[in-house]
Amino acid sequence: MSINSAMLAGVSGLVANSSALASISDNIANVNTVAYKRNQTNFSSVVTAQAVPGHYSAGGVQALTRQLVSTQGLIQTANSATDIAINGDGFFVVTTKGMGLTNSDQRLFTRSGSFSVDANGYLVNDSKLYLQGWPVVNDIVDADPSDLTAMQPINVKALGTAVAATSVVELNANLYNSQAISGAEAAYDPAGDPTTTMAQYADDVANGVSPTGTKPDFTMEMTITDSAGGTHKVALAMLKSDVPNEWHAEVYAIPASDVDSGGAPGLIKSGKIMFTSEGKFDPASSADFFASAAPSLKPTFQLGNSATGTAPKWATNLGLGDQSITLDLSKVEQSAGSNQLKSVNSDGAGPGNVIAVQVDEEGFVSAIFDNKQVRKIAKIGLATFPNPDGLKPSSGNTYSSAIAAGVMVAKAPGAAGSGKISPSSLEASTVDLSQEFTGLITTQKAYSASSKIITTADQMLDELIQMKR
């Protein structure tokens, strides 16, 4: 009968508005939750079949609550370098565990980018979920857009130490333009007689024997770092030539046993260096010293692998790999005054440990070492869906894939609508308190009105029952 249907309609109103109240409560409770997406409850009418003409039966109302996942939250500045936000449609891929991850373990999706480094070195967010990314191997990223298992938990501590072998040494020096010509200069012949080299002289002095080589006019020492992080001393020895503005030059190792030169002990490179009449370094006329590096402004000397290659190479007992070192002489000049080494700058660095982590706009996660080296570890991949609002909400401000969301595609940040990474930022909740409080008022009134329907229907049924009396 119509009175019963009215009562049932009132009950459906109570249930529907209770659901609306619950979603509003969730919204208000998560107003400060990072990247939280507000819930919205929509109402739709229920129409029943009208079996008896002239008698209307109420159907009531039903509530459907959905989360507005696709709504972009405000990007706000954060203090941590590992706090990251997405400006766009993508999602971070996370897992519930870091170690022992298998293909069968569930991958979840989140916009919550408040990541930090845990005790084991993994990047985890506030819900202790592990951020996934494509590993970087030799600066190469192998990204598979359809396979989430190609991503691995990002760990910033399982890296060992970072070593940077020296590749460039810059010398800033002055050579005395009126340097007296050495009496041994006439006999100096490094190509024909290795015993006349300046490297031979240095080795003889180091071994405490009577020098047979040629004493240099000026020696500049520098320290280089090998591929294993060890340090070695190398000298650039200069001998004034009897040709104006010309100097004989040799590069040799100290001690000589560090390298196998195949000739004079420790000798790495020899030749002639020229200067202009104004005292400026003249690389174009110094091809003899530059050798294969000409016409570059900077000569390069190669220290080969100890087990293979030709001399000069690292000594076999050191077990070091190939190393190419560029010697930048552009700041070496010839002028009045004394021979003077002003500064030596090189790019090598010995073993260093991780002291910080940073994320850039391209999604690369890099470790910063205390020896000033920066190493790329992984690249964050962002998951995209044709219909993000169709994702299934999960605990920890995450979502799981669902048929309604469509097929997932993993993309690099900024690629094809995946969204851009904002380092040192967080996405704010999309909850508007003024909107939610207004919703509270209307929901309360609607709930009260639905209860009034039940009360009125109850009174009418009482009247009907009273008719018998």
Side-chain angles (χ1 to χ4, degrees):
M1 61 184 298
S2 298
I3 296 178
N4 283 336
S5 68
M7 182 173 288
L8 293 175
V11 172
S12 70
L14 293 178
V15 173
N17 283 286
S18 295
S19 296
L21 178 63
S23 68
I24 293 172
S25 300
D26 253 353
N27 291 342
I28 295 175
N30 287 280
V31 66
N32 290 320
T33 300
V34 174
Y36 175 81
K37 307 299 180 180
R38 69 177 296 269
N39 293 301
Q40 178 175 293
T41 301
N42 296 328
F43 298 93
S44 61
S45 61
V46 178
V47 179
T48 60
Q50 305 301 322
V52 181
H55 293 271
Y56 181 81
S57 294
V61 65
Q62 64 180 3
L64 175 64
T65 300
R66 62 189 183 96
Q67 200 164 19
L68 304 178
V69 181
S70 60
T71 304
Q72 175 70 50
L74 180 66
I75 304 299
Q76 299 177 321
T77 302
N79 294 325
S80 173
T82 54
D83 282 341
I84 46 181
I86 303 173
N87 188 3
D89 296 332
F91 294 82
F92 299 114
V93 182
V94 294
T95 57
T96 56
K97 65 179 182 179
M99 294 179 287
L101 187 67
T102 65
N103 294 350
S104 60
D105 290 314
Q106 185 182 23
R107 271 66 176 176
L108 298 171
F109 311 98
T110 185
R111 301 272 297 190
S112 178
S114 54
F115 293 100
S116 59
V117 181
D118 71 0
N120 296 316
Y122 291 99
L123 280 180
V124 298
N125 66 9
D126 293 338
S127 300
K128 303 305 177 185
L129 297 173
Y130 296 82
L131 178 63
Q132 306 292 293
W134 293 299
V136 176
V137 181
N138 296 325
D139 290 331
I140 298 175
V141 180
D142 185 12
D144 189 335
S146 60
D147 185 11
L148 286 180
T149 61
M151 297 185 187
Q152 297 296 322
I154 299 176
N155 191 302
V156 300
K157 288 188 177 179
L159 303 175
T161 58
V163 173
T166 300
S167 61
V168 177
V169 178
E170 179 190 78
L171 296 179
N172 185 349
N174 179 69
L175 299 178
Y176 181 35
N177 62 349
S178 298
Q179 175 72 46
I181 306 299
S182 170
E185 193 272 339
Y188 178 73
D189 183 18
D193 185 2
T195 62
T196 67
T197 61
M198 292 178 276
Q200 181 69 63
Y201 179 89
D203 187 59
D204 289 342
V205 171
N207 291 318
V209 300
S210 179
T212 58
T214 303
K215 181 180 180 181
D217 293 325
F218 182 48
T219 303
M220 295 174 277
E221 294 185 354
M222 62 202 89
T223 300
I224 63 173
T225 304
D226 61 35
S227 57
T231 58
H232 305 267
K233 186 178 292 185
V234 172
L236 172 61
M238 309 295 294
L239 177 68
K240 188 73 168 66
S241 169
D242 58 359
V243 176
N245 301 319
E246 180 182 86
W247 291 72
H248 301 288
E250 289 182 12
V251 178
Y252 55 83
I254 303 174
S257 58
D258 277 357
V259 299
D260 177 7
S261 65
L267 184 62
I268 298 172
K269 192 176 185 67
S270 64
K272 298 175 182 178
I273 293 177
M274 299 293 296
F275 293 87
T276 66
S277 57
E278 290 79 20
K280 302 299 181 182
F281 176 59
D282 186 4
S285 301
S286 304
D288 178 64
F289 187 70
F290 285 98
S292 60
S296 168
L297 292 178
K298 302 168 185 177
T300 299
F301 55 90
Q302 180 80 24
L303 286 171
N305 185 283
S306 59
T308 61
T310 58
K313 59 185 180 180
W314 290 114
T316 303
N317 65 303
L318 298 178
L320 300 174
D322 291 337
Q323 188 167 357
S324 179
I325 302 173
T326 297
L327 191 59
D328 187 348
L329 304 179
S330 58
K331 294 184 178 179
V332 177
E333 60 183 16
Q334 178 187 252
S335 64
S338 61
N339 295 316
Q340 182 182 11
L341 176 61
K342 299 177 182 178
S343 65
V344 178
N345 296 313
S346 66
D347 61 351
N353 298 310
V354 178
I355 57 173
V357 180
Q358 67 180 15
V359 182
D360 64 20
E361 294 180 349
E362 296 180 356
F364 283 106
V365 179
S366 301
I368 302 174
F369 294 79
D370 54 12
N371 60 359
K372 299 182 181 180
Q373 297 301 302
V374 179
R375 181 190 298 178
K376 289 181 179 179
I377 304 169
K379 186 168 187 176
I380 298 171
L382 300 181
T384 60
F385 297 86
N387 177 30
D389 290 335
L391 290 169
K392 182 181 178 181
S394 301
S395 296
N397 203 11
T398 63
Y399 308 92
S400 57
S401 57
I403 295 176
V407 178
M408 184 282 308
V409 177
K411 302 175 183 176
S418 63
K420 295 182 179 180
I421 292 289
S422 295
S424 299
S425 302
L426 289 174
E427 182 181 1
S429 169
T430 59
V431 174
D432 182 349
L433 282 179
S434 61
Q435 182 179 0
E436 302 305 324
F437 285 140
T438 301
L440 274 179
I441 296 172
T442 57
T443 300
Q444 180 186 22
K445 294 300 181 183
Y447 188 91
S448 297
S450 295
S451 66
K452 191 64 176 179
I453 293 174
I454 298 174
T455 302
T456 302
D458 178 58
Q459 292 174 349
M460 293 177 67
L461 285 173
D462 278 344
E463 290 293 331
L464 184 62
I465 294 171
Q466 291 296 329
M467 288 177 61
K468 181 181 177 182
R469 299 179 184 175

